Short mmCIF file of all heavy atoms in Angstrom, two decimals:
data_model
loop_
_atom_site.label_atom_id
_atom_site.label_comp_id
_atom_site.label_asym_id
_atom_site.label_seq_id
_atom_site.Cartn_x
_atom_site.Cartn_y
_atom_site.Cartn_z
N SER G 308 18.69 -37.96 -6.86
CA SER G 308 19.82 -37.72 -7.80
C SER G 308 19.36 -37.79 -9.25
O SER G 308 20.12 -37.79 -10.17
CB SER G 308 20.93 -38.78 -7.59
OG SER G 308 21.50 -38.65 -6.33
N GLY G 309 18.02 -37.80 -9.46
CA GLY G 309 17.49 -37.89 -10.77
C GLY G 309 17.48 -36.56 -11.46
O GLY G 309 18.10 -35.55 -11.01
N THR G 310 16.77 -36.44 -12.55
CA THR G 310 16.78 -35.23 -13.42
C THR G 310 15.44 -34.51 -13.35
O THR G 310 14.39 -35.16 -13.30
CB THR G 310 17.10 -35.62 -14.90
OG1 THR G 310 18.31 -36.32 -14.93
CG2 THR G 310 17.11 -34.42 -15.76
N LEU G 311 15.56 -33.23 -13.26
CA LEU G 311 14.30 -32.41 -13.24
C LEU G 311 13.56 -32.59 -14.57
O LEU G 311 14.14 -32.60 -15.63
CB LEU G 311 14.61 -30.90 -13.01
CG LEU G 311 15.10 -30.51 -11.62
CD1 LEU G 311 15.62 -29.06 -11.59
CD2 LEU G 311 14.01 -30.64 -10.60
N LYS G 312 12.24 -32.59 -14.46
CA LYS G 312 11.34 -32.75 -15.65
C LYS G 312 10.53 -31.44 -15.71
O LYS G 312 9.88 -31.07 -14.77
CB LYS G 312 10.45 -33.92 -15.51
CG LYS G 312 9.47 -34.01 -16.72
CD LYS G 312 8.47 -35.10 -16.50
CE LYS G 312 7.40 -35.12 -17.64
NZ LYS G 312 6.32 -36.07 -17.37
N MET G 313 10.54 -30.81 -16.90
CA MET G 313 9.82 -29.51 -17.09
C MET G 313 8.26 -29.82 -17.23
O MET G 313 7.84 -30.74 -17.91
CB MET G 313 10.32 -28.89 -18.39
CG MET G 313 9.59 -27.55 -18.69
SD MET G 313 9.99 -26.29 -17.50
CE MET G 313 11.68 -26.03 -17.83
N ILE G 314 7.51 -29.04 -16.53
CA ILE G 314 6.05 -29.11 -16.61
C ILE G 314 5.58 -28.31 -17.94
O ILE G 314 5.05 -28.87 -18.92
CB ILE G 314 5.31 -28.59 -15.44
CG1 ILE G 314 5.61 -29.40 -14.24
CG2 ILE G 314 3.78 -28.49 -15.69
CD1 ILE G 314 5.12 -30.83 -14.24
N GLN G 315 5.96 -26.99 -17.94
CA GLN G 315 5.65 -26.15 -19.08
C GLN G 315 6.64 -24.96 -19.06
O GLN G 315 6.80 -24.31 -18.03
CB GLN G 315 4.18 -25.61 -19.05
CG GLN G 315 4.00 -24.42 -19.99
CD GLN G 315 4.18 -24.69 -21.47
OE1 GLN G 315 3.73 -25.75 -21.92
NE2 GLN G 315 4.85 -23.81 -22.19
N LYS G 316 7.42 -24.81 -20.13
CA LYS G 316 8.40 -23.75 -20.11
C LYS G 316 7.70 -22.40 -20.01
O LYS G 316 6.60 -22.22 -20.42
CB LYS G 316 9.22 -23.79 -21.46
CG LYS G 316 10.20 -24.95 -21.55
CD LYS G 316 11.13 -24.81 -22.79
CE LYS G 316 12.13 -25.88 -22.84
NZ LYS G 316 13.02 -25.75 -24.00
N ARG G 317 8.47 -21.49 -19.41
CA ARG G 317 7.95 -20.16 -19.19
C ARG G 317 7.62 -19.43 -20.49
O ARG G 317 8.30 -19.53 -21.46
CB ARG G 317 8.96 -19.33 -18.39
CG ARG G 317 10.24 -18.94 -19.04
CD ARG G 317 11.28 -18.39 -18.16
NE ARG G 317 11.73 -19.36 -17.18
CZ ARG G 317 12.63 -19.11 -16.27
NH1 ARG G 317 13.23 -17.88 -16.20
NH2 ARG G 317 13.08 -20.06 -15.48
N GLU G 318 6.53 -18.72 -20.39
CA GLU G 318 6.14 -17.82 -21.50
C GLU G 318 5.64 -16.51 -20.83
O GLU G 318 4.99 -16.55 -19.80
CB GLU G 318 4.97 -18.42 -22.32
CG GLU G 318 5.38 -19.62 -23.18
CD GLU G 318 4.19 -20.19 -23.89
OE1 GLU G 318 3.10 -19.52 -23.92
OE2 GLU G 318 4.33 -21.30 -24.45
N ARG G 319 5.97 -15.40 -21.39
CA ARG G 319 5.53 -14.14 -20.88
C ARG G 319 4.00 -14.09 -20.82
O ARG G 319 3.33 -14.46 -21.81
CB ARG G 319 6.09 -12.97 -21.65
CG ARG G 319 5.75 -11.58 -21.00
CD ARG G 319 6.62 -10.48 -21.57
NE ARG G 319 6.23 -9.20 -21.03
CZ ARG G 319 6.72 -8.77 -19.87
NH1 ARG G 319 7.50 -9.49 -19.13
NH2 ARG G 319 6.39 -7.54 -19.42
N ASN G 320 3.45 -13.66 -19.74
CA ASN G 320 2.04 -13.61 -19.46
C ASN G 320 1.35 -14.90 -19.27
O ASN G 320 0.10 -14.97 -19.17
CB ASN G 320 1.29 -12.79 -20.60
CG ASN G 320 1.77 -11.38 -20.68
OD1 ASN G 320 1.91 -10.68 -19.73
ND2 ASN G 320 2.05 -10.87 -21.92
N LEU G 321 2.11 -15.98 -19.17
CA LEU G 321 1.45 -17.30 -18.78
C LEU G 321 1.86 -17.58 -17.33
O LEU G 321 3.03 -17.78 -17.01
CB LEU G 321 1.98 -18.41 -19.72
CG LEU G 321 1.49 -19.78 -19.31
CD1 LEU G 321 -0.02 -19.94 -19.39
CD2 LEU G 321 2.14 -20.87 -20.22
#
Side-chain angles (χ1 to χ4, degrees):
S308 296
T310 303
L311 287 170
K312 176 189 174 184
M313 180 67 66
I314 298 294
Q315 164 62 43
K316 287 187 176 182
R317 68 190 68 180
E318 294 179 7
R319 187 164 177 81
N320 297 316
L321 175 63

